[in-house]
């Protein structure tokens, strides 16, 4: 898309520099914006409030509320970029409609703790299994996101002090304790499972082509473990372990503030969703 529309490449660079967005989020935005450019054209100075609203409403029509909100956010971000770089009138982002969504209308879906343990214990004692167990423990015990596990580097792990540095959304960094169980699983993978690939990322593929794991690969690890155990998960991906970790912490008596600190939420209202 960036080859066809260089403007999208500029947008991605601007968002990385000024908003700290991850490549995963930018990929989601780009899918929406390709549709915008195909529908309205690339003469962005000629965009009108009416045409922008019509695009967002039409694009959101077949989807649920969360997807509709995501479409609106992507278009607003693009219009802010256009305004900031002088390509369209400032304030065009206010033309994009909002979508009503009741706060706390439903609690996040999760797995019972016994099912989480079955998922973790399903890993084999080979190179793939050692890696997968370490990945699953990071997701289940520290409530990391798939992208955060994929991005974890050796420099982020402080073995002496038992902590890891996690770079989350908007480049926000947080220092989290590394539980003994998780640290042991990571060391076992590094000693017996990781190929000698000279890259800074901790987790890599085990078979050729050798390369660091992607967010999608981490999600696939969770999906494979769910299939092995025959567990019917409400979310077929890595995020179910994040929700499960938060729910377990609350049930064990942790405060909302404690859970929010582990999940790295900016607002206690977000944590209150649990």
């Amino acid at each position: 898309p960036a080859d066809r529309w260089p403007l999208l490449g500029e947008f991605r660079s601007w968002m990385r520099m000024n908003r700290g967005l991850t490549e995963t989020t930018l990929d989601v935005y780009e899918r929406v914006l390709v549709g915008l450019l195909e529908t309205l054209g690339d003469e962005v100075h000629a965009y009108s409030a009416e045409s922008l609203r019509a695009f967002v409403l039409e694009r959101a029509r077949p989807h649920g509320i969360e997807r509709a909100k995501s479409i609106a956010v992507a278009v607003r971000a693009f219009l802010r970029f256009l305004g900031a770089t002088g390509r369209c009138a400032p304030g065009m982002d206010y033309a994009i409609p909002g979508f009503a969504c009741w706060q706390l209308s439903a609690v996040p879906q999760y797995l019972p703790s016994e099912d989480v343990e079955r998922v973790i214990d399903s890993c084999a004692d080979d190179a793939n299994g050692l890696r997968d167990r370490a990945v699953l423990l990071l997701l289940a015990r520290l409530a990391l996101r798939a992208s955060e596990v994929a991005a974890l580097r050796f420099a982020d792990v402080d073995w002496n002090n038992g902590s890891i540095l996690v770079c989350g959304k908007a480049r926000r960094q947080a220092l989290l304790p590394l539980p003994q169980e998780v640290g042991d699983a990571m060391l076992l993978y590094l000693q017996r499972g990781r190929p000698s690939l000279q890259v800074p990322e901790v987790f890599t593929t085990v078979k050729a082509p050798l390369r660091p794991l992607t967010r999608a690969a981490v999600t696939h690890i969770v999906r494979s473990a769910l299939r092995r155990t025959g567990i019917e998960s409400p979310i077929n991906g890595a995020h179910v372990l994040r929700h499960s970790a938060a729910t377990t912490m609350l049930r064990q008596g942790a405060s909302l503030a404690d859970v929010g600190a582990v999940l790295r939420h900016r607002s206690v209202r977000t944590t209150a969703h649990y």
Side-chain angles (χ1 to χ4, degrees):
D3 293 336
R4 183 177 176 188
W5 291 292
L7 189 60
L8 288 182
E10 292 184 44
F11 168 71
R12 291 182 74 109
S13 298
W14 190 85
M15 291 297 287
R16 279 194 296 266
M17 181 178 298
N18 293 282
R19 295 291 184 269
L21 265 64
T22 64
E23 293 301 320
T24 300
T25 301
L26 290 171
D27 287 344
V28 173
Y29 283 12
E30 187 170 280
R31 287 193 286 272
V32 175
L33 299 178
V34 165
L36 177 68
L37 292 171
E38 288 177 340
T39 303
L40 301 184
D42 57 4
E43 294 185 2
V44 294
H45 62 277
Y47 287 178
S48 67
E50 292 77 11
S51 63
L52 289 165
R53 280 197 298 268
F55 169 80
V56 170
L57 291 171
E58 183 62 28
R59 183 90 176 194
R61 194 184 309 280
H63 303 288
I65 187 67
E66 291 302 323
R67 179 58 180 154
K69 289 169 63 179
S70 175
I71 291 167
V73 168
V75 176
R76 283 196 201 100
F78 187 56
L79 292 172
R80 291 189 187 110
F81 156 73
L82 295 177
T85 55
R87 290 178 166 91
C88 76
M92 286 292 283
D93 52 295
Y94 292 110
I96 305 305
F99 294 91
C101 181
W102 295 105
Q103 290 289 324
L104 311 181
S105 58
V107 295
Q109 297 174 307
Y110 65 94
L111 293 175
S113 56
E114 56 269 21
D115 283 349
V116 172
E117 299 310 310
R118 285 175 57 200
V119 166
I120 295 169
D121 292 340
S122 71
C123 298
D125 190 28
D126 56 15
N128 266 317
L130 294 175
R131 180 202 61 193
D132 292 358
R133 179 179 172 80
V135 165
L136 292 169
L137 282 168
L138 283 167
L139 295 167
R141 302 294 191 250
L142 292 177
L144 298 192
R145 301 176 178 92
S147 58
E148 294 165 348
V149 173
L152 188 65
R153 299 184 171 209
F154 287 104
D156 299 327
V157 185
D158 186 342
W159 298 106
N160 292 328
N161 294 310
S163 63
I164 62 171
L165 184 67
V166 178
C167 186
K169 291 184 176 180
R171 294 193 292 233
R172 294 195 305 274
Q173 293 185 329
L175 193 64
L176 299 179
L178 183 64
Q180 187 70 43
E181 177 190 21
V182 183
D184 288 345
M186 291 175 63
L187 282 173
L188 196 58
Y189 156 66
L190 295 175
Q191 293 165 355
R192 292 177 43 196
R194 190 183 188 278
S196 56
L197 183 64
Q198 300 300 310
V199 294
E201 289 82 7
V202 173
F203 295 105
T204 71
T205 55
V206 173
K207 298 179 181 179
L210 297 177
R211 56 178 180 260
L213 289 188
T214 63
R215 177 192 61 83
V218 173
T219 297
H220 178 73
I221 288 172
V222 178
R223 289 176 177 170
S224 296
L226 290 169
R227 283 198 300 270
R228 282 197 303 271
T229 55
I231 291 172
E232 292 290 334
S233 173
I235 303 172
N236 190 27
H239 227 61
V240 73
L241 296 180
R242 180 174 169 85
H243 291 331
S244 302
T247 302
T248 298
M249 283 187 281
L250 285 171
R251 289 188 169 186
Q252 291 175 347
S255 67
L256 276 179
D258 291 337
V259 175
V262 173
L263 297 182
R264 290 156 285 124
H265 287 158
R266 281 186 291 182
S267 170
V268 71
R269 293 181 62 191
T270 306
T271 313
H273 201 184
Y274 291 91

